């Protein structure tokens, strides 16, 4: 099962950096979302792949034509929060307000029910598992935010498997489609999206995807935008992660979509026998 997803945000929505954190800072940058979306639609048209788009509420509100294009082309849309803040820096009340707003914006403009969620930076961790409660209360039934291994900003190790399962928390349940990874020299790498997809040679990505029964991708419009300006004064590690391999990434994406069959979360959801699915209590 290979699932194709995109997190729909601007080239300047870079986490872990003070000059790209709030809407005030975002105002100083020019938008590149339309040309970047065209590039994504083009490769999807060409390969016939299905995809789920996790859209930032801030984008949906500012550029309703972007979300309308996604829905009119028959793709599935979910939420990627309203303001792209890391969840472990929020409390349940603040997070709930942000998600409620993002869902309302998405549903008002798309005319469709939002049921899928992805956190910025996979920021659902053991210490903020209340996220699940907030999501279910707001009508979200599918999450795709768990990184099921340790990583620099936490991860969710107790999930213990990179396959879909039902997450059970405090009397509620929701469907989880975690991020997939492979171990390289004993360290887990989420090679199927973002900076890692751009960094690793395509032959490695192809090899790892081939031997994996479940691949969850997580691309961004900026991953394929070779013309984007470089944000000044980023910390070195963030700069590396943000700009490595962009020039060759679109070609790699095309090869990836040609070499493997991809579906969206809705398609994957229908393939799973949830009655007998594994239940992971967190
Ligand atoms: Zn994001």
């Amino acid at each position: 099962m290979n699932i194709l997803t995109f997190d729909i945000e601007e080239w300047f929505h870079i986490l872990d950096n003070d000059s790209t954190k709030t809407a005030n800072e975002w105002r100083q940058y020019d938008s590149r979302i339309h040309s970047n979306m065209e590039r994504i639609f083009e490769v999807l048209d060409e390969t016939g792949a299905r995809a789920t788009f996790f859209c930032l509420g801030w984008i949906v509100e500012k550029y309703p034509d972007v979300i309308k294009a996604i829905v009119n082309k028959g793709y599935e849309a979910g939420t990627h929060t309203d303001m792209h803040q890391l969840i472990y820096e929020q409390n349940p009340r603040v997070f709930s307000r942000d998600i409620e707003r993002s869902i309302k914006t998405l549903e008002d403009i798309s005319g469709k029910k939002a049921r899928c969620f992805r956190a910025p930076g996979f920021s659902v961790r053991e210490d903020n598992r209340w996220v699940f409660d907030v999501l279910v209360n707001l009508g979200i039934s599918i999450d795709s935010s768990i990184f099921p291994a340790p990583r620099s900003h936490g991860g969710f190790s107790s999930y213990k498997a990179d396959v879909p399962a039902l997450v059970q928390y405090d009397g509620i349940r929701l469907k989880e489609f975690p991020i997939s990874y492979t171990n390289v020299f004993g360290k887990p790498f989420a090679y199927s999206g973002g900076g890692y997809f751009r960094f690793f040679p395509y032959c490695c990505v192809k090899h790892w995807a081939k031997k994996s029964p479940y691949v969850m991708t997580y691309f961004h419009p900026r991953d394929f935008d070779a013309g984007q300006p470089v944000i000044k004064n980023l910390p070195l590690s963030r700069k590396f992660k943000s700009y490595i391999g962009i020039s060759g990434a679109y070609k790699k994406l095309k090869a990836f979509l040609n070499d493997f069959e991809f579906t969206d979360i809705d398609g994957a959801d229908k393939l799973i026998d949830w009655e007998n699915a594994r239940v992971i209590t967190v």
Side-chain angles (χ1 to χ4, degrees):
M1 179 183 289
N2 306 313
I3 307 174
L4 184 61
T5 73
F6 295 87
D7 296 350
I8 300 309
E9 56 196 52
E10 281 279 13
W11 61 278
F12 47 78
H13 285 125
I14 291 177
L15 294 165
D16 299 322
N17 173 54
D18 285 346
S19 72
T20 51
K21 202 173 159 79
T22 66
N24 243 348
E25 275 108 24
W26 301 340
R27 253 179 233 129
Q28 64 184 300
Y29 302 116
D30 291 331
S31 172
R32 299 177 70 85
I33 195 72
H34 291 96
S35 52
N36 285 343
M37 289 307 293
E38 281 313 311
R39 205 174 284 127
I40 290 172
F41 289 145
E42 203 180 295
V43 72
L44 294 184
D45 281 349
E46 214 176 286
T47 56
R50 306 290 310 151
T52 299
F53 292 80
F54 292 104
C55 305
L56 205 60
W58 186 83
I59 292 273
V60 176
E61 210 171 321
K62 218 166 154 65
Y63 308 108
D65 55 315
V66 167
I67 176 72
K68 281 184 182 153
I70 289 170
V71 175
N72 289 343
K73 285 172 184 287
Y75 299 119
E76 182 180 31
T79 171
H80 188 44
T81 74
D82 195 46
M83 294 302 283
H84 209 247
Q85 304 297 306
L86 292 164
I87 305 177
Y88 49 73
E89 292 179 353
Q90 301 170 48
N91 62 40
R93 206 166 45 90
V94 171
F95 175 69
S96 179
R97 261 206 314 259
D98 175 282
I99 297 301
E100 194 169 9
R101 188 179 158 94
S102 79
I103 292 173
K104 188 175 180 330
T105 314
L106 190 63
E107 292 184 347
D108 281 355
I109 297 175
S110 72
K112 299 210 164 173
K113 171 103 189 69
R115 62 167 192 153
C116 305
F117 170 76
R118 161 140 332 127
F122 317 138
S123 53
V124 174
R125 315 192 297 202
E126 265 100 355
D127 59 356
N128 61 10
R129 55 192 103 189
W130 46 258
V131 164
F132 300 118
D133 195 34
V134 172
L135 292 174
V136 169
N137 272 322
L138 293 173
I140 298 289
S141 54
I142 295 179
D143 175 58
S144 181
S145 307
I146 283 188
F147 185 75
R151 63 192 293 267
S152 56
H153 283 311
F156 206 110
S157 308
S158 60
Y159 188 85
K160 283 201 175 75
D162 64 342
V163 290
L166 288 166
V167 162
Q168 182 162 274
Y169 167 76
D170 200 16
I172 54 124
R173 274 186 183 188
L174 89 173
K175 296 168 180 174
E176 176 65 38
F177 287 83
I179 306 304
S180 51
Y181 67 92
T182 193
N183 284 310
V184 182
F185 301 120
K187 260 193 88 176
F189 285 97
Y191 65 91
S192 51
Y196 293 118
F197 178 82
R198 288 185 267 111
F199 172 72
F200 288 114
Y202 180 64
C203 57
C204 294
V205 171
K206 188 174 172 180
H207 171 71
W208 294 326
K210 237 181 195 167
K211 61 174 195 173
S212 172
Y214 169 79
V215 177
M216 169 58 78
T217 61
Y218 60 101
F219 296 110
H220 313 82
R222 63 177 303 278
D223 287 327
F224 316 105
D225 179 6
Q228 69 189 286
V230 173
I231 304 267
K232 289 188 192 92
N233 303 323
L234 282 184
L236 215 61
S237 65
R238 183 45 68 184
K239 192 169 181 174
F240 180 77
K241 274 187 206 159
S242 298
Y243 300 105
I244 183 80
I246 287 181
S247 61
Y250 192 57
K251 210 175 127 197
K252 266 173 159 172
L253 176 70
K254 268 191 187 176
F256 201 28
L257 300 192
N258 277 312
D259 288 342
F260 296 87
E261 197 174 318
F262 282 91
T263 186
D264 57 3
I265 288 186
D266 185 54
D269 178 37
K270 288 179 178 134
L271 291 175
I272 294 170
D273 172 13
W274 290 107
E275 292 282 305
N276 297 305
R278 185 164 160 185
V279 178
I280 298 178
T281 303
V282 298

